[in-house]
Amino acid sequence: MRDLAVAELDDETLRARADALGLALRVDELRGIADRLGRAPSLVELYAFDAQWSEHCSYKSSRALLSQLPTKGADVVLGPAEDAGILHLGEHEGERYGIVIAHESHNHPSQVVPFEGAATGIGGIVRDVLCMGAEVVAVADPLRFGNVDPARPHQRAVARGVVDGIAAYGNAIGVPNLAGDCYFDPEFDDNVLVNVVALGLVKESQIIHSRVPKHGADFVLLLVGKATDASGFGGASFSSVALDAREAESNKGAVQVPDPFLKNVIMRASYRVFSMLREREIEVGFKDLGAGGIMGCSAELCSTGGFGAELDLDTVNVAVDHLLPEVIAVGETQERLLWALPEETVDEVERIYNEEFSLPQVAQNARAVRVGRATAAQRYRLRHRGELVMDVPIDFLTGTVRDTLPAQPPDPPRAERAHDLSCARMLDDLLHATLAHRDVCSRAPLYRHYDAVVRGRTVIPRGEADAGVLAPIRGSRLAFALSVDGNPRIGRIDPQRAAEHAVYESVRNVVAVGAEPIGLTDCLNYGSPRDARQFGELVAGVDGLARSARALGLAFVSGNVSLYNAASDGHAIPASPIVACLGRLTDVSQCVTLALKEVGSRLYLVGETQRALGGSVLAALLSLHDEGVPGIDFERVLAEHRFLLAAARAGLLRSAHDISDGGLLVTLAEMSFGCYPAHRAPIGIELDGIAGWSNVGRYESLFGEWGGIVVEVAERDVDRFEELAGALESVREIGTTIPQPILAFDEEAWDIDDLHRSWSRPLEELYP
Amino acid sequence: MTARVAVLVFPGTNSEEETRDLLLDCGADARIVHWSEAASLAYYDAFVLPGGFAYEDRIRAGAIAAHDAMLDVVIEAAQAGKLVMGICNGAQILLEAGLVPGSGEIRRPTAAFTHNAQGHFICERVLLRRTVAAERCAIAAALPEDALIPAWAAHGQGRLAASTAHLEDIERGGHVVFRYADARGATDAHLAPQGSALGAAALTNREGNVLAIMPHPERDAWNFNHLDRREGADVLAPSGGSVLFGSFVTALERW
């Protein structure tokens, strides 16, 4: 058996040997493994520990932090323990329905091979949701790209390749792309962020867990999917180290190869298996193969259930002969899942995959195949060619590993300016420049690559409101809303407030469509935990998430940490906590879109203007460097949201749109632009003088990014709306809708078509 | 007895459920039939081929599925005058099978829905208007005159392409059942978002019993997913693009 004589080597030689083997394990970790085993670890064992103890699998530097996040609540069906969390959607015909939600990153693979990296990001997250026994109903993509100016061909190719990969995979499997956001910033030049969220629908009585059930000793482990090949070897470790341009080429082997065509069939076959198991009322385990491949998945599936496992690698369906045992064991070939099934169901499940859905004909040697069993013995054992190539205590392999690392707190936040901004630039020039800014302009050239409406259950596709809305159950008015948010312009200057704003914005967007926020997920994209300053940003970010979620009464049910997001010079990305908020609509007919609906309506601002311009597009355009980031009064926000949801339920909101990138004028212009996809003539807006609705200056009021929501209320509903607002002070009338297709303010009257031209075109040259 | 409609699923199909659901809501007896159940197809009176990426769009969208054993049954049925409708990938398959426009031999296509002018997948709202007489195509016959049908173009290969001579035949033979239209109902080739020849969104065969339609009317087909949700309307009731499915069911009843 090939092994590494750890005990006989000095530290320097051991490091060199480990490097030559491509192992990211530290010298002390290598010695710890050899000590515990009492012998030289085999190569298979070393690669197994390398994957299991990577940051990606073990969360070794972030686990302690994450325990601060609130994870319980009335709507939480399953918190962050398995491949995905579950939130309660509602009841229909006596059944309780849950929405399964998972949130991941595929940052490093997407930087190295954009198309495949982004596509396998979708592929992986879809399996996380599928393996909970759910039907996959939506995906979403928060993206952060570098500077994509025409003179930056590499950054442009990455930004295009990622979108093409997401489209190619998501469209083919037939899951609508419901939400997403996108920012462009030179600090992502060497390390883009490609996060992905997937949602599934499940009856709460029919959830399948990612563990061998209690009575599951001797359960058969049935591997399903693509034939194992040499792709994706070292994937977990690869995503846990900083990218180096010179190594990017050699890292390509660590990226997996997507096959959405096979996945489409595996999903449908799995749905058939779900219904067969439900009819027979059989409890089973089901888990996605992600990081650590067959080894990682089988070890976690069995150890979580309290069992050991024994697998024979010779039984695995492979694409090529003579694969090394460590490649079969920990390689991350895509499109595979693992069942833990009682013996009496195995033949039927194999028949469904292999015959009814003919997996072997759909892709070369794809199939369902028995690979091993759960065992009462608490060992994790792998055999290959008759030899025991791995035999370790299973709790040692899958147990908690923790690194305690020093953190340096970020600089204290900057204070708010004492005086209003004075500015020499013309309002007209600023508005057009803001609308055309890459963080503000229309994302339609990008998202029109994605199928937003396959399955026919999309109620509000991207671009027509602040959150995507989907009614997942045939014959039911229940619907959910989804928004994903995180502003890197804030992340760069104030890591804690960046996290608070990510929560606030995602929740605000869900409220703006009339949905009640019911839960959150997060993906924490940061630099190296071994750099005290960068680790300090993560600490501040988690603190911000925890504080804001508690203030709004929401829990995080799923999440992911992506560290080592930095260029080879060690320069980290802006702190990028990205948050997804799921909302609930008990009656889909009450959802609200952003397009203005009628002339003669009143427009109200629900929110408070602030003077701080930190992180705003205006600050970027004017190169303002010493601005503080707007604070969030969560108590007031909560009251505003309660009021808005009551108004939506009463049918008083004709349209609604939140204030975010670019500020209030952009919000108003976009409400007017809402006519275009609906093939209608524009409705104009007359904005009242600032003195009537703001205590801060002209620029802060019109371009500040202090949050809040603008709503349209029909003339006939004004009395009811104001009565409902009651004593809430932060509800102020700011203007009216008018028949002329203009946005009028003070002496200015902008033509809506002109504004639309500035806003709709900038991304067309990148995504023609 | 109600006519039975089979909604066909090839490996890679992805729009079977909503297509079946809308047929059911429009009063048809519709069932999903999976490729491993091809033997049961003989029992059906009409066939709907839904959207997706059958056989991964290998060679060209629809090209492999046109040679699938399920198509043997569909071709025979079409030639016997049964109703056949293909949507998106289903439309591509019907063209690759040579059923539409039907000017050549079976499985020797004379026209194709191929790569969009912009070279990538597009997903956007479109409006369709029937541009032939009601009796020209049985499936679209019961539509209200001048109706504008909302639908979603969601395809990477939706551009009608054929030789000049074949395009002339298609135009002259009245094969273009639907064209892309603007809100006033005007049709013009430039309104086709992917550059489809003749501004064509849907074609029929010579006999008018087969319809190949590229955009998806079933994705804007109930009040809940209809762009112009009307206040007070039953949010779960069919609307918008369902009129085409309604017309299909009417034709089935007459058939």
Side-chain angles (χ1 to χ4, degrees), chain B residues 68-112:
Chain B
D68 186 284
M70 289 206 288
L71 257 290
D72 296 346
V73 184
V74 171
I75 289 166
E76 198 180 318
Q79 289 173 334
K82 290 185 179 178
L83 299 182
V84 177
M85 176 162 69
I87 303 167
C88 197
N89 189 223
Q92 294 162 337
I93 295 169
L94 294 179
L95 264 67
E96 292 294 331
L99 285 174
V100 175
S103 49
E105 293 168 39
I106 286 304
R107 288 171 171 147
R108 300 287 298 273
T110 55

Side-chain angles (χ1 to χ4, degrees), chain B residues 128-137 140-149 177-178 184-185 243 247:
Chain B
L128 310 178
R129 194 164 68 80
R130 191 180 60 197
T131 50
V132 293
E135 61 275 14
R136 177 65 186 82
C137 174
L143 287 176
E145 209 62 42
D146 298 325
L148 273 179
I149 300 174
V177 181
F178 292 107
R184 286 183 212 88
V243 289
S247 177

Side-chain angles (χ1 to χ4, degrees), chain A residues 268 448 455 474 654 768, chain B residues 16 18 120 123-124 231:
Chain A
R268 280 159 175 73
R448 77 177 190 141
R455 297 175 60 84
R474 175 168 159 78
R654 299 290 287 141
Chain B
E16 66 273 27
E18 60 272 33
H120 60 75
C123 179
E124 56 188 67
E231 275 177 56

Side-chain angles (χ1 to χ4, degrees), chain A residues 147-172:
Chain A
N147 174 0
V148 291
D149 285 346
R152 311 295 301 277
H154 181 66
Q155 280 69 26
R156 291 166 68 85
V158 172
R160 286 177 175 149
V162 163
V163 168
D164 286 345
I166 292 167
Y169 201 102
N171 297 353

Side-chain angles (χ1 to χ4, degrees), chain A residues 135 164 167-168 170-175 259-262 264-265 268 271-272 355-358 361-363 445 447-461 464 471 473-477 587-589 591-593 598 651 654 677-680 716 767-768, chain B residues 9-22 24-25 32 34-37 52-58 118-127 152-155 181-183 193 216 218-231 233-236:
Chain A
E135 199 180 331
D164 286 345
N171 297 353
I173 58 172
V175 175
D259 188 345
F261 172 61
L262 173 60
N264 172 315
V265 179
R268 280 159 175 73
Y271 298 154
R272 185 69 58 94
E355 291 169 35
E356 193 175 337
F357 285 83
S358 50
Q361 280 79 53
V362 169
Y447 64 68
R448 77 177 190 141
H449 287 66
Y450 307 150
D451 195 333
V453 287
V454 60
R455 297 175 60 84
R457 307 216 62 91
T458 302
V459 177
I460 303 181
E464 296 183 9
I473 307 165
R474 175 168 159 78
S476 165
R477 290 163 174 262
D587 182 350
V588 64
S589 68
C591 67
V592 182
T593 62
E598 59 188 278
R654 299 290 287 141
H679 312 283
R680 279 195 290 261
R716 60 187 175 278
Y767 299 105
Chain B
V9 176
F10 303 88
T13 297
N14 68 18
S15 302
E16 66 273 27
E17 290 193 7
E18 60 272 33
T19 304
R20 186 257 336 256
D21 291 349
L22 187 58
L24 289 174
D25 286 358
I32 291 173
H34 188 267
W35 70 88
S36 64
E37 305 161 326
F53 296 79
Y55 293 99
E56 212 177 1
D57 280 358
R58 287 175 207 156
Q118 50 274 80
H120 60 75
F121 189 95
I122 56 163
C123 179
E124 56 188 67
R125 293 182 184 278
V126 291
L127 295 172
W152 281 86
H155 50 243
D182 65 18
H216 294 269
E218 79 282 8
R219 297 182 182 186
D220 184 331
W222 290 270
N223 281 314
F224 73 81
N225 66 8
H226 184 43
L227 178 61
D228 290 307
R229 274 185 292 277
R230 306 239 179 278
E231 275 177 56
D234 175 4
V235 75
L236 302 178

Side-chain angles (χ1 to χ4, degrees), chain A residues 135-307:
Chain A
E135 199 180 331
V136 187
V137 296
V139 292
D141 290 282
L143 305 173
R144 307 290 179 264
F145 295 133
N147 174 0
V148 291
D149 285 346
R152 311 295 301 277
H154 181 66
Q155 280 69 26
R156 291 166 68 85
V158 172
R160 286 177 175 149
V162 163
V163 168
D164 286 345
I166 292 167
Y169 201 102
N171 297 353
I173 58 172
V175 175
N177 196 300
L178 192 64
D181 68 351
C182 185
Y183 288 89
F184 299 90
D185 189 310
E187 293 193 45
F188 296 113
D189 274 357
D190 295 334
N191 194 134
V192 297
L193 300 185
V194 177
N195 283 192
V196 53
V197 174
L199 302 179
L201 176 74
V202 70
K203 289 181 183 170
E204 290 173 21
S205 59
Q206 296 176 346
I207 295 164
I208 298 176
H209 292 283
S210 308
R211 60 172 181 258
V212 176
K214 271 194 199 99
H215 55 282
D218 293 330
F219 263 32
V220 173
L221 300 177
L222 187 79
L223 179 68
V224 172
K226 191 171 172 181
T228 296
D229 54 35
S231 67
F233 182 57
S237 313
F238 162 56
S239 62
S240 307
V241 293
L243 283 181
D244 182 319
R246 286 161 305 173
E247 283 182 5
E249 199 57 34
S250 65
N251 276 331
K252 284 184 180 171
V255 181
Q256 311 92 337
V257 182
D259 188 345
F261 172 61
L262 173 60
K263 176 64 79 40
N264 172 315
V265 179
I266 291 175
M267 284 165 61
R268 280 159 175 73
S270 298
Y271 298 154
R272 185 69 58 94
V273 174
F274 295 161
S275 61
M276 184 275 284
L277 294 170
R278 277 163 203 156
E279 277 166 27
R280 301 190 189 178
E281 298 184 350
I282 292 168
E283 199 186 345
V284 299
F286 194 29
K287 189 170 169 66
D288 151 53
L289 266 77
I294 293 172
M295 180 283 306
C297 179
S298 58
E300 286 174 19
L301 187 68
C302 293
S303 72
T304 318
F307 297 97

